[in-house]
Amino acid sequence: MNAPLIAPSVLAADFANLQRDVEMLNRSTADWIHVDIMDGVFVPNISFGLPVTAAIKKHAQKPLDVHLMIVHPERYLEAFRDAGADVLTVHYEACPHLHRTIQQIKLLGVKAGVALNPHTPVSLLQDVIADLDLVLIMSVNPGFGGQKFIERTYERVRQTAAMIAESGSNAIIEIDGGVNQSNAALLYHAGARALVAGNFVFTAADPVQTIAELKKVW
Ligand code: DX5
Ligand code: ZN
């Protein structure tokens, strides 16, 4: 088994010092930089969009893991790829033609992910799981950083891991929301292989050290 990928979320960074915070992530053992795009429609909050993503890319030495919390994500996939996304994740709940949207992402030459809100049964991914590189299981309701981790997530990770094994898919499971040192190991052992962490990393006295510790959970 391998250590989990750690994907700090720049939603919790200091937006007035983004370059400084991205350079800190470059120096750390973080694997990906998680970029949360919120449109104020799919989720009740607005974060930032294409120009800020491109600005992060300019300084990032790690892949950008772009999480689209927006309606009609299919309209913006190419633009986010061009802004520097290496992984593009859309929400199941925002995609009536999910199969087509996944194929669109793959044609752009980046990794394809689908995110599930906490109420969406993981079994709904059964018919697309073989095409996915990533399943993002939300462990909070999307829209804000710093929320409390939903305990039911462990069972959802186990169910998803079983579905992936059964289908022969190469998808990895990513967890997003309320991740910290006390749930990271349990998530890893349930089958998660990528952990997003926003507040836990950026409010730490030593974010580089905190990222290294999260990675040690396995
Ligand atoms: C929530 C976002 C998360 C958020 C995680 O809607 O998708 O990526 O930044 O932040 P924490 O780790 O603080 O819960
Ligand atoms: Zn996210």
Side-chain angles (χ1 to χ4, degrees):
M1 292 211 281
N2 296 317
L5 302 176
I6 305 299
S9 169
V10 287
L11 186 65
D14 177 353
F15 289 170
N17 286 287
L18 260 184
Q19 179 177 349
R20 182 201 65 192
D21 285 359
V22 169
E23 285 169 352
M24 177 278 288
L25 297 178
N26 289 341
R27 284 195 311 275
S28 78
T29 50
D31 298 276
W32 291 347
I33 297 177
H34 188 79
V35 177
D36 284 307
I37 309 296
M38 303 177 180
D39 66 355
V41 180
F42 180 70
V43 288
N45 192 15
I46 299 175
S47 57
F48 52 80
L50 289 159
V52 173
T53 303
I56 292 169
K57 185 69 175 183
K58 202 164 106 192
H59 300 287
Q61 291 163 6
K62 314 219 166 173
L64 296 194
D65 173 32
V66 175
H67 177 193
L68 296 176
M69 287 163 274
I70 64 176
V71 296
H72 296 302
E74 70 283 355
R75 294 182 186 169
Y76 302 98
L77 296 172
E78 190 169 0
F80 277 103
R81 193 274 315 267
D82 293 346
D86 297 279
V87 183
L88 273 172
T89 297
V90 296
H91 265 264
Y92 174 89
E93 302 82 7
C95 296
H97 303 289
L98 183 63
H99 182 274
R100 179 187 293 148
T101 305
I102 293 165
Q103 308 314 316
Q104 244 182 294
I105 298 174
K106 293 168 73 127
L107 279 173
L108 291 170
V110 297
K111 288 189 197 298
V114 172
L116 298 178
N117 280 342
H119 73 278
T120 302
V122 300
S123 60
L124 289 172
L125 290 184
Q126 194 139 19
D127 293 296
V128 291
I129 192 80
D131 294 334
L132 294 181
D133 298 300
L134 183 91
V135 176
L136 190 165
I137 298 184
M138 290 304 307
S139 40
V140 298
N141 286 290
F144 302 94
Q147 302 182 81
K148 189 176 176 297
F149 179 85
I150 298 171
E151 296 291 320
R152 167 95 190 135
T153 305
Y154 302 116
E155 178 53 26
R156 290 165 61 71
V157 175
R158 282 191 284 272
Q159 287 173 9
T160 309
M163 182 167 66
I164 288 172
E166 204 178 309
S167 69
S169 164
N170 292 320
I172 64 165
I173 300 173
E174 181 174 44
I175 306 300
D176 187 4
V179 170
N180 57 40
Q181 202 64 43
S182 56
N183 53 31
L186 290 167
L187 287 166
Y188 182 82
H189 291 296
R193 290 295 175 270
L195 302 173
V196 176
N199 278 266
F200 187 64
V201 165
F202 283 96
T203 64
D206 185 344
V208 169
Q209 177 65 23
T210 302
I211 292 166
E213 276 162 21
L214 273 177
K215 219 174 160 57
K216 273 194 245 151
V217 293
W218 68 301

